[in-house]
Amino acid sequence: MIQLRKFSQMTVWALIGLLSSWVVSCSTSSVNTATKPATPEAATIEFWTMQLQPQFTNYFQSLITTFESQNPSIKVKWVDVPWSAMENKILTAVSAKTPPDVVNLNPDFASQLAGRNAWLDLDAKVPKEVRSSYLPNIWQASSLNGKTFGIPWYLTTRLTIYNTDLLKQAGIKKPPATYAEIAQAAQQIQDKTGKYAFFATFVPQDSGEVLESFVQMGVTLINAEGKAGFNSPQGKAAFQYWVDLYKKKLLPKESLTQGHRHAIDLYQSGETAFLASGPEFLKTISNNAPKIAQASAIAPQITGDTGKKNVAVMNIVIPRATKNPDAAVKFALFVTNDENQLTFAKAANVLPSTIKSLADSYFKEVPNNASTVEKGRIISAQQMQQAEVLTPKIKDFKLLQKTIYENLQAAMLGEKTVDKAVEDAAQQWDNR
């Protein structure tokens, strides 16, 4: 499964002008001699992607061949970097001023380096009419302090995978759509089946899904001054929501110690009724737990009163230190244009980030006998109307998550009141 919370890159070429010089010789008969124009050499740009080989090797080889045939003055060198190595590798390259020209990252990580002025400012490089071809909320995800540092590429959005057998046993006729509804369903499922409704992790270094739920519930995590915005009635209500679920034993105890991977294990073993994931994960369930897969169906992502839906974005950035900025931008826009986004989205089972490609019938129509995965594609595309990157693009985001999760855990364990946990978290953040 392509993971969307991580990276993307791209390059640029510099036109080499023809140099002509006239040599004047002083003699009784002056003769002007013109040199032949220098033959321009192709600009080579280096393009880094994140763990897309070998599954998409043929796609990118064909993509690059087409681009080079249309742009004979530009050559593209493709380098695929393992997911786990990308962060250190790009940090090292940027620090040493030897970066690639085009890079596949994600807004969360790329924004940290954007704050250090590591990326090319694309507002002057990408025409307004081209920018407007991308989904507005998704384009905005790659901007910081009013400047655009990345071009959107492919997207994924969570859905709710649910076990129809468990819902039937619990007497629940339709899957919940909101956090309030799933809390009610959690009690009903436990009373009737002895199972949990779902698993959420509060491990500080793991998923940010709980923080995203805060935003969906109407919480402002960080205010305009960079201070804690969650010390508010909405923030306290979000803290209370998760504390109540845990204290009522409607969340597994491992929520405090296990990461998101445990959610997958519990769902596959039939111990939970709901799983927040992409529809492509059903293929994994089919291999690991065929009976659970057979009983599984898909519903839209759980949200709060805001109706907001989360989306994970992969983008393409261009290092400021590139020697070929124009060529890099040209290639980045080629990779992410309507036609190529649609082709890649079909191949990778992801969503495109341009308006035209997402409007294709592929994301609107499925046959009557469509598989659950195919139906999930339609629901995912429909969610893009309310989808956005929910968490703030800030350098210390991981610290924010750690601060909130640790204090939330303390409240869940009864070590602090909810009010005290919220106040302590806000104070720790503001005084960091």
Side-chain angles (χ1 to χ4, degrees):
M1 180 177 72
I2 291 185
Q3 301 186 40
L4 308 58
R5 286 199 165 94
K6 296 195 179 189
F7 308 104
S8 168
Q9 71 176 322
M10 288 264 158
T11 356
V12 167
W13 77 275
L15 287 172
I16 301 174
L18 296 178
L19 173 65
S20 62
S21 62
W22 290 91
V23 179
V24 179
S25 61
C26 296
S27 64
T28 53
S29 56
S30 286
V31 179
N32 291 332
T33 312
T35 60
K36 291 183 178 179
T39 302
E41 295 181 2
T44 298
I45 57 176
E46 195 165 300
F47 172 42
W48 286 9
T49 55
M50 248 191 320
Q51 204 159 317
L52 295 178
Q53 290 182 0
Q55 187 174 0
F56 303 106
T57 298
N58 290 340
Y59 171 82
F60 284 104
Q61 287 177 341
S62 175
L63 182 82
I64 290 169
T65 298
T66 301
F67 176 79
E68 290 179 341
S69 68
Q70 295 176 6
N71 301 274
S73 297
I74 307 173
K75 296 296 180 185
V76 179
K77 179 184 178 183
W78 175 35
V79 178
D80 193 59
V81 180
W83 182 272
S84 59
M86 177 61 94
E87 196 165 310
N88 286 336
K89 195 173 177 66
I90 190 63
L91 278 171
T92 300
V94 168
S95 298
K97 299 191 184 306
T98 57
D101 301 281
V102 185
V103 190
N104 164 210
L105 297 177
N106 67 21
D108 288 344
F109 178 68
S111 64
Q112 297 179 35
L113 288 177
R116 302 182 205 173
N117 208 27
W119 312 126
L120 194 68
D121 181 358
L122 296 173
D123 290 321
K125 291 288 186 181
V126 181
K128 187 175 181 179
E129 61 272 18
V130 175
R131 292 201 300 271
S132 65
S133 67
Y134 297 84
L135 296 163
N137 282 352
I138 306 304
W139 182 272
Q140 189 62 30
S142 292
S143 64
L144 186 68
N145 300 324
K147 293 183 178 181
T148 302
F149 62 81
I151 298 171
W153 193 8
Y154 62 91
L155 318 169
T156 59
T157 182
R158 285 195 306 269
L159 296 174
T160 302
I161 301 174
Y162 63 97
N163 187 318
T164 58
D165 288 344
L166 283 180
L167 262 63
K168 186 176 181 180
Q169 291 174 37
I172 297 173
K173 295 183 178 180
K174 65 177 184 177
T178 66
Y179 287 106
E181 290 177 4
I182 201 170
Q184 183 178 352
Q187 187 68 65
Q188 195 169 336
I189 289 167
Q190 191 166 95
D191 291 345
K192 299 285 186 179
T193 71
K195 308 287 187 180
Y196 291 104
F198 67 108
F199 174 91
T201 179
F202 300 86
V203 175
Q205 298 78 25
D206 206 85
S207 169
E209 203 171 307
V210 169
L211 272 193
E212 292 168 357
S213 78
F214 276 41
V215 178
Q216 292 172 313
M217 293 178 190
V219 179
T220 298
L221 293 175
I222 302 297
N223 63 27
E225 290 73 40
K227 300 293 186 180
F230 56 84
N231 190 1
S232 63
Q234 294 88 347
K236 290 178 181 179
F239 264 69
Q240 192 70 60
Y241 174 87
W242 292 108
V243 168
D244 288 346
L245 279 178
Y246 187 79
K247 287 188 172 181
K248 290 177 182 178
K249 299 182 179 179
L250 298 178
L251 288 174
K253 286 185 177 181
E254 313 91 87
S255 291
L256 305 187
T257 57
Q258 297 288 323
H260 181 71
R261 178 67 220 182
H262 194 60
I264 298 170
D265 294 337
L266 287 176
Y267 184 82
Q268 288 185 154
S269 61
E271 294 300 314
T272 53
F274 303 99
L275 174 67
S277 186
E280 68 277 1
F281 183 70
L282 283 169
K283 294 179 181 179
T284 304
I285 300 176
S286 297
N287 293 332
N288 298 339
K291 289 185 178 179
I292 298 296
Q294 191 173 5
S296 293
I298 290 181
Q301 181 183 142
I302 299 292
T303 187
D305 293 339
T306 64
K308 292 181 178 180
K309 304 288 176 67
N310 163 265
V311 61
V313 179
M314 295 300 278
N315 65 2
I316 289 177
V317 297
I318 298 165
R320 183 176 291 275
T322 177
K323 292 180 176 61
N324 299 293
D326 294 329
V329 170
K330 195 169 199 176
F331 181 64
L333 293 175
F334 179 78
V335 172
T336 61
N337 68 24
D338 294 324
E339 181 182 354
N340 290 325
Q341 285 229 35
L342 180 59
T343 302
F344 185 70
K346 290 180 178 181
N349 195 24
V350 293
L351 297 173
S353 61
T354 69
I355 297 170
K356 184 177 179 180
S357 53
L358 190 64
D360 190 83
S361 60
Y362 179 75
F363 298 105
K364 293 184 175 183
E365 303 168 5
V366 290
N368 293 331
N369 61 345
S371 66
T372 307
V373 173
E374 289 174 316
K375 293 175 183 176
R377 179 175 73 237
I378 305 303
I379 297 173
S380 294
Q382 290 171 344
Q383 289 189 161
M384 292 310 300
Q385 302 306 317
Q386 301 88 29
E388 59 185 278
V389 176
L390 297 176
T391 50
K393 299 183 291 297
I394 54 174
K395 178 184 176 183
D396 295 330
F397 173 74
K398 285 298 182 184
L399 178 60
L400 174 67
Q401 179 173 313
K402 181 175 184 289
T403 302
I404 291 178
Y405 279 25
E406 286 180 347
N407 282 281
L408 185 51
Q409 281 201 26
M412 294 165 84
L413 292 170
E415 297 170 357
K416 296 181 180 182
T417 65
V418 164
D419 284 355
K420 179 64 172 171
V422 173
E423 289 168 8
D424 285 354
Q427 188 174 30
Q428 289 168 28
W429 173 257
D430 290 345
N431 296 332
R432 67 192 185 283

